[in-house]
Amino acid sequence: MSIAICPGSFDPITLGHLNIIRRTAQIFDEVVVVIMQNSTKKSPMFTVEERVEMVRKATERYGNVKVDSSDILLAEYARQYEGAVIVKGLRAASDFEYEFQMNLINKQIRPELETMFLTASGKYTFLSSSVVREMAMYGADLTGLVPNELIDMIKEKAKVWRNK
Ligand code: ADP
């Protein structure tokens, strides 16, 4: 059975992330989306539990996607899935540089662990979680940026953040 691991901070999940997850789910038998807590990104908007819940809601229609979280290094986390491949999305040259570096670290720890990249869909190359957070903070319309079923939850959270 082929297994893919899609890691990220997903703070929050966007339609760009979902596009990568959906395409990965068409290629692999099983996909594990893992919310990484050991990211260098400080003070996330959503708790890990909230991010897991949002990714679950957004992916429940796919039969072969499960959601997990981790606070250990990705290469160590991936050990539990034998033969698993890491799949990531690439938007721009800046993504490439960062991902190339991450891949070197993973290879240092586990040389047999492979990473594959899917190029971002044209309409989502501009889209990132930080763009969504910024727009939500200004009360902008999030339609077309995040899954519809998550819009209210993101708006509510942004309201709390605005009043902090
Ligand atoms: P972000 O950079 O938005 O905070 P994450 O750290 O959660 O995203 O990224 C998880 C993965 O999703 C990374 O491989 C990243 O390149 C990819 N990704 C993020 N946004 C998009 C997008 N709009 N299209 C394709 N891939 C994306």
Side-chain angles (χ1 to χ4, degrees), residues 16-83:
H17 290 131
L18 198 58
N19 177 268
I20 297 291
I21 295 167
R22 180 185 56 75
R23 287 158 60 198
T24 305
Q26 284 170 347
I27 301 168
F28 289 82
D29 295 322
E30 198 182 313
V31 180
V32 182
V33 180
V34 58
I35 285 105
M36 303 301 294
Q37 304 180 46
N38 61 341
S39 155
T40 47
K41 290 172 194 167
K42 287 190 205 100
S43 55
M45 183 178 242
F46 295 90
T47 65
V48 170
E49 291 73 22
E50 287 167 335
R51 284 181 268 159
V52 166
E53 188 196 330
M54 287 191 288
V55 179
R56 281 218 175 102
K57 266 193 192 161
T59 60
E60 64 191 1
R61 77 193 95 138
Y62 310 130
N64 59 341
V65 176
K66 70 175 194 176
V67 188
D68 195 9
S69 63
S70 168
D71 58 4
I72 60 172
L73 275 171
L74 181 60
E76 299 295 347
Y77 172 85
R79 279 187 202 278
Q80 63 189 294
Y81 300 102
E82 218 199 314

Side-chain angles (χ1 to χ4, degrees), residues 6-12 14-17 19-20 23 39 41 87-91 95 98-99 117-121 124-130 133:
C6 291
S9 34
F10 304 102
D11 186 38
T14 69
L15 288 183
H17 290 131
N19 177 268
I20 297 291
R23 287 158 60 198
S39 155
K41 290 172 194 167
V87 176
K88 307 210 75 182
L90 274 187
R91 281 163 296 189
D95 268 354
Y98 173 77
E99 295 299 348
F117 297 98
L118 293 181
T119 48
S121 154
Y124 298 131
T125 43
F126 72 95
L127 187 53
S128 66
S129 297
S130 56
R133 290 197 300 272

